Amino acid sequence: MPLTPCPRLRAVVRLRGELTSERTPRVRRRLLRAFARAPSVMEVDLGKVTCLAPEASALFQAAAATARRSGTRFFITRASPRSLRVLRELGMQHLMDAPLLPDP
């Protein structure tokens, strides 16, 4: 009987609170742990993020680049209007596999 490969995972990283430069190392570690599982889809859920500082969102640019290199689809979901504005100003809509949409 031939072996069939296991389907790759969907990794969801749910973030909350203020994402400032002080929290960058912790968020980076969470993203790296999620990528270590070699998911086919990486979702970063910003539904409970109250503040997204531009310097912290640079992590998402790095995550999108990592996803592209590894063949992983990358999405940011449930972003507030304020977070969306920061992400769009940084050009994130060009780095993801789906448009940046407001939280429904």
Side-chain angles (χ1 to χ4, degrees):
M1 172 183 249
L3 295 175
T4 57
C6 293
R8 291 174 65 193
L9 304 169
R10 176 185 191 97
V12 179
V13 177
R14 289 184 175 85
L15 301 174
R16 65 175 188 256
E18 294 184 359
L19 296 186
T20 60
S21 58
E22 293 82 29
R23 292 204 47 217
T24 297
R26 174 189 275 170
V27 173
R28 179 179 289 117
R29 284 190 300 272
R30 288 189 64 195
L31 291 169
L32 289 173
R33 279 195 307 270
F35 274 118
R37 295 174 31 208
S40 58
V41 175
M42 169 73 83
E43 175 186 343
V44 178
D45 180 341
L46 300 182
K48 294 187 178 182
V49 169
T50 57
C51 175
L52 178 63
E55 60 271 9
S57 61
L59 286 174
F60 303 140
Q61 290 175 320
T66 299
R68 183 146 298 160
R69 283 192 305 272
S70 63
T72 300
R73 298 185 70 208
F74 183 75
F75 301 93
I76 293 177
T77 60
R78 297 179 1 118
S80 70
R82 178 183 251 165
S83 294
L84 281 174
R85 189 170 41 256
V86 171
L87 293 168
R88 286 184 177 133
E89 287 172 5
L90 293 170
M92 284 300 298
Q93 68 274 15
H94 302 294
L95 301 175
M96 296 191 322
D97 292 302
L100 282 168
L101 300 173
D103 186 11

